[in-house]
Amino acid sequence: MSTYDLLIAPFADYGFMRRALVACLCLALGSGPIGVFLMLRRMSLMGDAMSHAVLPGAAIGYLVAGSLSLTAMGIGGLVAGLSVALLSGLVSRVTVLQEDASFASFYLTSLALGVLIVSLRGSNVDLLHVLFGTILAIDGPALVLIGSITSVTLVTLAIVYRPLVAECFDPGFLRTVGGRGPVYHALFLLLVVLNMVASFQALGTLMAVGLMMLPAAIAQLWARSLTAMMALAAAAAAVSGYVGLIASYHLELASGPTIIMTAAVIYGFSILFAPSGLARRLFPRPHLAG
């Protein structure tokens, strides 16, 4: 098998492979930087909660559309995700519950409700598509939605980058100078929900957070500056998407899980060989004498 047949032919010959690759690249550009901010703010598990929170809305969109319409499911997921984010924040402010406990409660409820809604009308195959994604079934409107979310994410991050970094590392300072920290926090949660909806289109509710957090973890192992982490996270997600699609095509595997497993392999390699990885700790370089 030639290099062309191995690495290029699947995308040159099949439109659905090209659309899947474009979707992966869009997700990498948007979700990678968002994942870095989630990790630095120690909100990684909140990302997982939000990926499950979109399920009821996506299920309702599925029932309304009467078929597995990714656009209808995306709009429904966006409404459901924003509702869970707002309700969780409200509950944490009017009760003694912390925000993480509130998110956990709502996402468990959302996951169960979403599965029940799909089960009312759909088959087991439909439920598997909702939970694990249909990246090879990405159509034109869904691709436009994913690309639009990526564009909004990048433009918003460029506009609010400095106050968002300040709110991430020193929220007390931002409050002192009147920086409207809660506004930027709410805006960041909106970006998280938007990117979860985009990821849901391709990877399903159970793995939507995978292309967000694994590349962020990889970037944190290799890079030291925030800008380098964001760039490396986007690159790792893009490579995972491309290699995962190639592997799933040739090995006849499910594309979504293969993409996430590719990112997991890169993460395992990084744990061993990154500058702060296990290999450096187990076999430290000798210090120069003199």
Side-chain angles (χ1 to χ4, degrees):
M1 182 180 291
S2 66
T3 302
Y4 175 85
D5 292 332
L6 181 65
L7 302 179
I8 300 176
F11 304 105
D13 296 340
Y14 300 105
F16 67 88
M17 289 292 289
R18 290 194 295 271
R19 288 191 294 271
L21 180 60
V22 172
C24 286
L25 295 178
C26 289
L27 290 176
L29 291 174
S31 297
I34 293 295
V36 170
F37 276 107
L38 274 174
M39 187 163 292
L40 293 178
R41 295 161 70 102
R42 298 183 178 181
M43 298 171 65
S44 302
L45 293 179
M46 194 213 77
D48 184 56
M50 293 308 302
S51 70
H52 293 82
V54 304
L55 183 56
I60 293 173
Y62 163 76
L63 293 180
V64 171
S67 63
L68 203 63
S69 170
L70 297 181
T71 302
M73 292 167 65
I75 295 173
L78 175 61
V79 174
L82 290 176
S83 300
V84 168
L86 293 174
L87 288 173
S88 299
L90 178 63
V91 169
S92 65
R93 282 164 176 77
V94 300
T95 67
V96 296
L97 288 176
Q98 297 295 318
E99 192 170 30
D100 58 344
S102 179
F103 266 113
S105 302
F106 275 101
Y107 105 75
L108 289 170
T109 304
S110 298
L111 179 60
L113 179 60
V115 171
L116 285 176
I117 292 174
V118 176
S119 300
L120 287 176
R121 183 170 176 181
S123 64
N124 290 334
V125 174
D126 295 327
L127 182 59
L128 287 176
H129 285 169
V130 170
L131 295 178
F132 297 105
T134 53
I135 189 168
L136 296 182
I138 293 289
D139 56 9
L143 197 58
V144 169
L145 179 62
I146 294 173
S148 300
I149 289 174
T150 299
S151 300
V152 169
T153 299
L154 294 177
V155 170
T156 305
L157 285 178
I159 294 174
V160 302
Y161 177 77
R162 294 185 67 180
L164 192 60
V165 171
E167 203 271 335
C168 177
F169 289 103
D170 194 355
F173 169 77
L174 196 62
R175 286 195 299 269
T176 301
V177 299
R180 300 176 181 177
V183 174
Y184 294 112
H185 180 70
L187 185 59
F188 176 70
L189 288 181
L190 173 61
L191 293 180
V192 172
V193 173
L194 285 173
N195 281 272
M196 285 302 170
V197 169
S199 297
F200 170 84
Q201 301 279 322
L203 301 172
T205 185
L206 292 184
M207 289 183 294
V209 74
L211 211 56
M212 182 178 290
M213 299 315 306
L214 280 172
I218 293 168
Q220 192 169 26
L221 288 169
W222 288 97
R224 288 294 173 265
S225 68
L226 181 57
T227 53
M229 285 184 191
M230 294 170 66
L232 188 56
V239 170
S240 299
Y242 173 77
V243 175
L245 286 173
I246 289 290
S248 68
Y249 174 82
H250 291 292
L251 300 177
E252 298 183 359
L253 300 172
S255 297
T258 306
I259 290 171
I260 302 304
M261 283 304 301
T262 302
V265 169
I266 300 174
Y267 173 63
F269 176 86
S270 301
I271 289 176
L272 293 175
F273 299 108
S276 58
L278 291 178
R280 185 65 61 87
R281 295 177 181 272
L282 295 176
F283 305 102
R285 293 181 178 179
H287 294 287
L288 294 177

